[in-house]
Amino acid sequence: MSTKSTMMDYPLTLTNMVERLSTYYPSVEVVSRMPDKTLHRTNYLAVYKRAKRLASALSKRGVKKGDCVATLMWNHYAHLEAYLGIPIMGGVLHTLNLRLSPEDIAYIANHANDKVLIIDDILLPLYEQFKEDVTFDEVIVVPLTGELVSAEYTDYEDYLKLGDDDFSYPIIDENDAAGMCYTSGTTGKPKGVVYSHRSTVLHSMTEAMVDGLGVSQSDVVTPVVPMFHANAWGLAYTSVLVGAKQVLPGPHLGAESLMDLYEGEQVTLSAGVPTIWMAIKQAREAEPNRWKTTANMRMVVGGAAVPESLLRAFDRFDMKIIQAWGMTETGPLATLGLVKNSLSNLNEEAKYACRIKQGLALPFVDIRIVDEEGVELPWDGKTSGNAELRGPWVTGSYHNNEGADDKFSKDGWLRTGDVCQIDQEGYVKLTDRTKDLVKSGGEWISSVDLENAIMGHPDVLEAAVIAVAHPKWDERPLAVIVVKAGKVVTTDDIRQFLEGKFAKIWLPDAVETIDEIPKTSTGKFMKMSLREQYKDWVWD
Ligand code: AMP
């Protein structure tokens, strides 16, 4: 007879993580920046009690297992309560992205069949622009400003009073849906990704690992990445799992406000897209002695490639950047750019070369690169291929299976749409999005590598490189830049700056200066819109 495991079949659900808050971490603080910039202070015991009341109230008002409850909120204590309260009653937390157009928000809410909306009072003007197009059973308003909530809506504080303290949890299977997030959709319609309790628990445990982000009870964590962007990269849940203090920036994402929070609350770990850190870099360089942050503060940067100049600058500020790569479809963390112990004797330059890569796949995340026919390519650090992933927090389909035909390989791996190289040590280096590569005279040019190098120029603030049709070469790279106030940077300046760093055919043939690079709803460069803007470009 074959030997059977004697281990219990214990479900990995958020309920267990929520219970730990009251048992082990009741006094740990949750601090939120309010719209008027004051700080709201509460603790995990209060968040726990209110999350349970929210769960109870939702059940009493008819929300059933598997129903989606939408949030349209900034990062703050009430959003955290929704993060916990909705899944523990069997509901699905659906975070709506407040930076999308009203039409897109309505499309997504309808597509997900959201039953209830919980919204910040300061975001009601946004809701009013699409309320005719949606049909929520109830709209619950969080009175962040303290102003009276209009009678047509339900006041969140009143709603919590409907709930009972002794809410008893329903039976939840670890594979039940817990949360939902739509892709930011740079092409086509946004698609829904549905996280399970299991995927969320496993993602949190892996993120907390010392060789993950090393999140522990002694950390003070500030997700600047919005809670509507891939669950704030899991940090809200990971902090709950380990009992780390959370400091949430509310609607104030400007460099000064964030630096004040980091200093005032002695934040040890923060996370966001590169555009946030570029603003912080400028603020710190302008006033080097103004803020004192904790020693060895960690900054997780992802969502777009991290320019080397940013890594170096933050090392000077004693704020260590850790690059993360992932997507809404992947929990979101897939790889982390940490230097392996076996490479610790590399010299400084080689370490930077390692840290600008997207890093090593996390445990249980399988990665491969393939060619156009799906044939696997070698891990030699030179060959580029389409990156494909699979793992317990990688989506295997989209909500309602829509628009996903080309997103999965025949054997079920997720096609990321990113083009990568992988070296013999296993480091992933993202060279481009499939659609952003520049194909010049049959050669592929990486727009990401060029952008990152150009952003190292002392007078350049932002740079995006796009492919523009060319009569002879098929496509050639055009660099679109934003320069520092009062500076002028020419095509020749940039070409000279890049010379020696790249093959000659890579150098952009033209450099255009504009006031601001258009950004997506999650703060990334919107190259699609630049391509549109420059589609009739005529080369000299
Ligand atoms: P999203 O689903 O909005 O999180 O977007 C995911 C996409 O962002 C990925 O497929 C990548 O193209 C890009 N991305 C995320 N992290 C990085 C990174 N560290 N470096 C380069 N691109 C990244």
Coordinates of all heavy atoms in Angstrom, one line a residue, residues 427-470:
Y427 N 18.9 35.4 -13.9 CA 18.4 36.7 -13.8 C 17.6 37.1 -15.1 O 18.2 36.9 -16.2 CB 19.5 37.8 -13.6 CG 20.0 37.8 -12.2 CD1 21.0 37.0 -11.7 CD2 19.4 38.7 -11.3 CE1 21.4 37.1 -10.4 CE2 19.8 38.8 -10.0 CZ 20.7 37.9 -9.5 OH 21.1 38.0 -8.2
V428 N 16.5 37.6 -14.9 CA 15.6 38.0 -16.0 C 15.9 39.5 -16.4 O 16.0 40.3 -15.5 CB 14.1 37.9 -15.6 CG1 13.2 38.4 -16.7 CG2 13.8 36.4 -15.3
K429 N 16.1 39.7 -17.6 CA 16.3 41.1 -18.0 C 15.2 41.4 -19.1 O 15.2 40.8 -20.2 CB 17.7 41.4 -18.6 CG 17.9 42.8 -19.1 CD 19.3 43.0 -19.5 CE 19.6 44.4 -19.9 NZ 18.8 45.0 -21.0
L430 N 14.4 42.4 -18.7 CA 13.3 42.7 -19.7 C 13.8 43.7 -20.7 O 14.4 44.7 -20.3 CB 12.2 43.3 -18.8 CG 10.8 43.4 -19.5 CD1 9.8 43.2 -18.4 CD2 10.6 44.8 -20.1
T431 N 13.7 43.3 -22.0 CA 14.2 44.2 -23.0 C 13.1 45.1 -23.6 O 13.4 46.1 -24.1 CB 15.0 43.5 -24.1 OG1 14.2 42.4 -24.5 CG2 16.3 42.9 -23.5
D432 N 11.9 44.6 -23.5 CA 10.8 45.4 -24.1 C 9.5 44.8 -23.9 O 9.4 43.6 -23.6 CB 11.0 45.7 -25.6 CG 10.9 47.2 -25.8 OD1 10.1 47.8 -25.2 OD2 11.7 47.7 -26.7
R433 N 8.4 45.5 -24.2 CA 7.1 44.9 -24.4 C 7.1 44.5 -25.9 O 7.7 45.2 -26.7 CB 6.0 46.0 -24.2 CG 5.8 46.5 -22.9 CD 5.1 45.6 -22.0 NE 3.8 45.2 -22.4 CZ 3.2 44.2 -21.9 NH1 3.8 43.4 -21.0 NH2 1.9 43.9 -22.3
T434 N 6.5 43.4 -26.2 CA 6.5 42.9 -27.6 C 6.2 44.1 -28.5 O 6.9 44.3 -29.5 CB 5.5 41.8 -27.8 OG1 5.5 41.0 -26.6 CG2 5.8 41.0 -28.9
K435 N 5.2 44.9 -28.2 CA 4.7 45.9 -29.1 C 5.6 47.1 -29.1 O 5.4 48.0 -29.9 CB 3.3 46.2 -28.8 CG 3.0 46.7 -27.4 CD 1.5 46.9 -27.2 CE 1.2 47.4 -25.8 NZ 1.9 46.7 -24.7
D436 N 6.5 47.3 -28.1 CA 7.3 48.5 -28.1 C 8.7 48.3 -28.7 O 9.5 49.3 -28.8 CB 7.5 48.9 -26.6 CG 6.2 49.4 -26.0 OD1 5.3 49.8 -26.7 OD2 6.1 49.4 -24.7
L437 N 9.1 47.1 -29.1 CA 10.4 46.9 -29.7 C 10.5 47.7 -31.0 O 9.5 47.9 -31.7 CB 10.6 45.4 -30.1 CG 11.0 44.5 -29.0 CD1 10.8 43.1 -29.4 CD2 12.4 44.8 -28.6
V438 N 11.7 48.1 -31.3 CA 11.9 48.9 -32.6 C 12.6 47.9 -33.5 O 13.6 47.3 -33.2 CB 12.8 50.1 -32.4 CG1 12.9 50.9 -33.6 CG2 12.3 51.0 -31.2
K439 N 12.0 47.7 -34.7 CA 12.7 46.8 -35.7 C 13.3 47.6 -36.8 O 12.6 48.2 -37.6 CB 11.6 45.8 -36.2 CG 12.3 44.7 -37.0 CD 11.6 43.4 -37.0 CE 12.5 42.3 -37.3 NZ 11.8 41.1 -37.7
S440 N 14.6 47.7 -36.7 CA 15.3 48.6 -37.7 C 16.2 47.7 -38.6 O 17.1 47.0 -38.1 CB 16.2 49.6 -36.9 OG 17.0 50.2 -37.8
G441 N 15.9 47.7 -39.9 CA 16.8 46.9 -40.8 C 16.9 45.5 -40.4 O 18.0 44.9 -40.5
G442 N 15.8 44.9 -39.8 CA 15.9 43.5 -39.4 C 16.4 43.3 -38.0 O 16.4 42.1 -37.5
E443 N 17.0 44.3 -37.4 CA 17.5 44.2 -36.0 C 16.5 44.7 -35.0 O 15.9 45.7 -35.2 CB 18.8 45.0 -35.9 CG 19.9 44.6 -36.8 CD 20.6 43.4 -36.3 OE1 20.6 43.1 -35.1 OE2 21.2 42.7 -37.2
W444 N 16.5 44.0 -33.9 CA 15.6 44.5 -32.8 C 16.4 45.5 -31.9 O 17.5 45.3 -31.5 CB 15.1 43.3 -31.9 CG 14.2 42.4 -32.6 CD1 14.5 41.1 -33.0 CD2 12.8 42.7 -33.0 NE1 13.4 40.6 -33.6 CE2 12.3 41.5 -33.6 CE3 12.0 43.8 -32.9 CZ2 11.1 41.4 -34.1 CZ3 10.7 43.7 -33.4 CH2 10.2 42.5 -34.0
I445 N 15.7 46.6 -31.7 CA 16.3 47.6 -30.8 C 15.4 47.7 -29.5 O 14.2 47.9 -29.7 CB 16.4 49.0 -31.5 CG1 17.4 48.9 -32.7 CG2 16.9 50.1 -30.5 CD1 17.5 50.2 -33.5
S446 N 16.1 47.7 -28.4 CA 15.3 47.7 -27.1 C 15.0 49.2 -26.7 O 15.9 49.9 -26.4 CB 16.0 47.0 -26.0 OG 15.5 47.5 -24.8
S447 N 13.7 49.6 -26.7 CA 13.4 50.9 -26.4 C 13.7 51.1 -24.9 O 14.1 52.2 -24.4 CB 11.9 51.3 -26.7 OG 11.1 50.5 -26.0
V448 N 13.5 50.1 -24.1 CA 13.7 50.2 -22.6 C 15.1 50.6 -22.3 O 15.4 51.5 -21.5 CB 13.3 48.9 -21.9 CG1 13.7 49.0 -20.4 CG2 11.8 48.7 -22.1
D449 N 16.1 49.9 -22.9 CA 17.5 50.1 -22.7 C 17.9 51.6 -23.0 O 18.6 52.2 -22.3 CB 18.4 49.2 -23.5 CG 18.4 47.8 -22.9 OD1 17.8 47.6 -21.8 OD2 19.0 46.9 -23.4
L450 N 17.3 52.0 -24.2 CA 17.7 53.4 -24.6 C 17.1 54.4 -23.6 O 17.8 55.3 -23.2 CB 17.1 53.6 -26.0 CG 17.9 53.0 -27.2 CD1 17.1 53.2 -28.5 CD2 19.3 53.6 -27.3
E451 N 15.8 54.2 -23.3 CA 15.2 55.2 -22.4 C 16.0 55.3 -21.0 O 16.2 56.4 -20.5 CB 13.8 54.6 -22.0 CG 12.8 54.8 -23.1 CD 11.6 53.9 -22.9 OE1 11.4 53.2 -21.9 OE2 10.8 53.9 -23.9
N452 N 16.3 54.1 -20.5 CA 17.0 54.1 -19.2 C 18.3 54.8 -19.3 O 18.7 55.6 -18.4 CB 17.1 52.7 -18.7 CG 15.8 52.2 -18.2 OD1 14.9 53.0 -18.0 ND2 15.7 50.9 -18.0
A453 N 19.0 54.6 -20.4 CA 20.3 55.3 -20.6 C 20.1 56.8 -20.7 O 20.8 57.6 -20.1 CB 21.0 54.7 -21.8
I454 N 19.1 57.2 -21.5 CA 18.9 58.6 -21.7 C 18.5 59.3 -20.4 O 18.9 60.5 -20.2 CB 17.8 58.9 -22.8 CG1 18.2 58.3 -24.2 CG2 17.5 60.4 -23.0 CD1 17.2 58.3 -25.3
M455 N 17.7 58.6 -19.6 CA 17.3 59.2 -18.3 C 18.5 59.4 -17.4 O 18.4 60.0 -16.3 CB 16.2 58.4 -17.7 CG 14.9 58.7 -18.4 SD 13.4 58.1 -17.5 CE 13.3 56.5 -18.2
G456 N 19.7 58.8 -17.8 CA 20.9 59.1 -17.0 C 21.5 60.4 -17.3 O 22.5 60.9 -16.7
H457 N 21.1 61.1 -18.4 CA 21.7 62.4 -18.8 C 21.3 63.4 -17.7 O 20.1 63.5 -17.3 CB 21.1 62.8 -20.2 CG 21.7 64.0 -20.7 ND1 21.5 65.3 -20.2 CD2 22.6 64.2 -21.8 CE1 22.2 66.1 -20.9 NE2 22.8 65.5 -21.9
P458 N 22.2 64.2 -17.3 CA 21.9 65.1 -16.1 C 20.8 66.1 -16.4 O 20.2 66.5 -15.4 CB 23.3 65.8 -15.9 CG 24.1 65.5 -17.1 CD 23.6 64.3 -17.7
D459 N 20.5 66.4 -17.6 CA 19.5 67.5 -17.9 C 18.1 66.9 -18.3 O 17.2 67.6 -18.6 CB 20.0 68.4 -18.9 CG 21.2 69.2 -18.5 OD1 21.3 69.3 -17.2 OD2 21.9 69.7 -19.3
V460 N 18.1 65.5 -18.3 CA 16.8 64.9 -18.8 C 16.0 64.4 -17.6 O 16.6 63.7 -16.7 CB 17.2 63.7 -19.7 CG1 15.9 62.9 -20.1 CG2 17.8 64.2 -21.0
L461 N 14.7 64.7 -17.5 CA 13.9 64.2 -16.5 C 13.2 62.9 -16.8 O 13.2 61.9 -16.1 CB 12.8 65.2 -16.2 CG 13.2 66.4 -15.4 CD1 12.0 67.4 -15.2 CD2 13.7 66.1 -14.0
E462 N 12.6 62.8 -18.0 CA 11.9 61.6 -18.5 C 12.3 61.4 -20.0 O 12.5 62.3 -20.7 CB 10.4 61.8 -18.4 CG 9.9 62.0 -17.0 CD 8.4 62.2 -16.9 OE1 7.8 62.6 -17.9 OE2 7.9 62.0 -15.8
A463 N 12.3 60.1 -20.3 CA 12.5 59.8 -21.8 C 11.7 58.6 -22.2 O 11.6 57.6 -21.4 CB 14.0 59.5 -22.0
A464 N 11.1 58.6 -23.3 CA 10.4 57.5 -23.9 C 10.9 57.3 -25.3 O 11.0 58.3 -26.0 CB 8.9 57.7 -23.8
V465 N 11.2 56.1 -25.7 CA 11.6 55.8 -27.1 C 10.6 55.0 -27.8 O 10.1 54.0 -27.3 CB 13.0 55.1 -27.1 CG1 13.4 54.6 -28.5 CG2 14.1 56.0 -26.4
I466 N 10.2 55.5 -29.0 CA 9.2 54.8 -29.7 C 9.7 54.5 -31.1 O 10.6 55.1 -31.6 CB 7.9 55.6 -29.8 CG1 8.1 57.0 -30.4 CG2 7.1 55.6 -28.5 CD1 6.9 57.7 -30.8
A467 N 9.0 53.5 -31.7 CA 9.4 53.1 -33.1 C 8.5 54.0 -34.0 O 7.3 54.1 -33.8 CB 9.0 51.6 -33.3
V468 N 9.2 54.6 -35.0 CA 8.5 55.3 -36.0 C 8.8 54.8 -37.4 O 10.0 54.5 -37.7 CB 8.8 56.8 -35.9 CG1 8.2 57.6 -37.0 CG2 8.4 57.4 -34.6
A469 N 7.8 54.6 -38.2 CA 8.0 54.0 -39.6 C 9.1 54.8 -40.3 O 9.2 56.0 -40.2 CB 6.7 54.0 -40.3
H470 N 9.9 54.0 -41.1 CA 11.0 54.6 -41.8 C 11.1 54.0 -43.2 O 11.0 52.8 -43.3 CB 12.3 54.4 -41.1 CG 13.5 55.1 -41.6 ND1 14.2 54.8 -42.7 CD2 14.1 56.3 -41.1 CE1 15.1 55.6 -43.0 NE2 15.1 56.6 -42.0

